[in-house]
Amino acid sequence: MAIFNRIMRPTRLTVFLLAASAAGCSPDAPSAPDFQRPVVPALEAVDYALLGGGKIAFERIGQAGNAYNALYVIDAAAGSSAHYFNNTLFFGAALSPDGRRVAYTFFDEATRYDVFVANLDRTDERHVTSFSGQEGPPTWTPDGSKVVVAATTDGPIYDIYSQSPVANPTDQIQHTSFSVAPGQPFTCPLVADNDTRVVMSGQGLVAFACMAGEIDVLSSTGRIAASYNPDRTNRRAWPNVFSPVWSPDGARLAFIETTADSATGYRLTAVAVKVMNADGSNVGTIVSMPTPGSDAQAGGGWVGLNNFSLCWMPDGSRLVFNLPESALVGHLWVVQPDGTGLAQLTTAPGVWDRSVSCARS
C-alpha cells in the first residue's frame, strides 16, 4: 500500500478550556468558586423536514465571546432539539442506532481517554473500555449490540476492537493485529492515530481512513477486502479522506474527501461526499462543494475527534455531513444519495459542528 504524509493542522482550545486551566480546575468539574461556565444556547431554528425522520447528534463548539461545547440532538420526527454534556470535555460522541444512548471518549486518570456509554442525559454512565493508551472515537454496530473502537495498549499503532457497551465485557473481539517493523515507515492499512472513526457493517466489514490517505475495508478477521486511494497526480490539489460510514444495508460506503492547496499551506479548497461499493468498485461523487473561507484547514482547526464527519440516515434517504467555512466555523448539510436535495441544516454564527451521528428514532 502507498505511504502517505500525515496532514499537519494547527490546534486550538476553546476559551472555556483555557479559562478552566488557568483557574487550576477541570473543565468537566471546575473547583474554583468564581469560575463561570458559559451558557449553552438552544439550537437555532432548523428545517426538521430536511432529515425526514430519525435523530442526529453532533458536537458543537461555540465561540464568538461565549466559548462552550455540548452535544446537540435533533429529533426530526418530533420536531424538537436539546443539548447535553454542557461544557464537558468529551470527544467523538456517537448515538446508538435506537437513539437512546450515546458512546463517547472521556478522560480517566488511570488510563487517559476511554470509551463511556450513557443515556443522553448522562445517567447510567458506564466505563466501557480501559486500554492503557488513548482510545479513538467509538461507533456502534448496526444492531446496537456492540461498540467499535480503535485502541492501543502501547505505542503509536492502534488495533480495532468490538465489544458490548457494558463495563468489563466478556465478548471483546480484537479484529486486527497491525504492526510496523522497527525503523520502517508506516504504510496502509493500519490505524496510526486516535482521530480515526472505525465503522462496522452488518456483514462484519470494518472500514476506516488510514492516515487520512486512503479508505480501507477489512474483513472481520482483519484481511484487506477493498481500498480507495484518491488521485494524487496533481500534487498541488492534495486530497485527504475522512469519516467513512456504511449505508444501512452495508452495500455501500460513503466518506468525505477534502482537497487542499499545497501552495497555500494546505488551505482547504473543496469538500466532497463520495460513495463506493463495499468491494471498492463504482466510486462516485455525491456532491462536491467549495469551502467558502480562505483559512479553512486541511484537518480542521479544532483539537479533538471527527472534525470532518458524516452519517447516513437509517432509512438510507439522506446523508448528513459538516462543511468548514473557516478554520473554526463549520455547519451541517444534508444531501440525498443521488446528489439531490442539498441543503444547509445548521446556521448558528461562530460555531463548529462535528462528529455527527444518525439514529432511527
Side-chain angles (χ1 to χ4, degrees), residues 121-166:
D121 62 3
R122 206 174 172 183
T123 59
D124 194 24
E125 186 177 51
R126 303 175 184 181
H127 191 162
V128 173
T129 67
S130 55
F131 293 92
S132 57
Q134 184 166 314
E135 281 86 312
T139 60
W140 298 81
T141 55
D143 63 2
S145 64
K146 292 187 176 183
V147 292
V148 183
V149 67
T152 182
T153 56
D154 181 34
I157 304 299
Y158 291 70
D159 279 305
I160 299 169
Y161 298 82
S162 65
Q163 64 177 66
S164 298
V166 297

Side-chain angles (χ1 to χ4, degrees), residues 13-22 25 27 35 67 87-89 91 303:
L13 293 177
T14 57
V15 173
F16 85 90
L17 291 179
L18 293 175
S21 177
C25 57
F35 176 71
N87 301 310
T88 299
L89 188 56
F91 290 123
V303 295

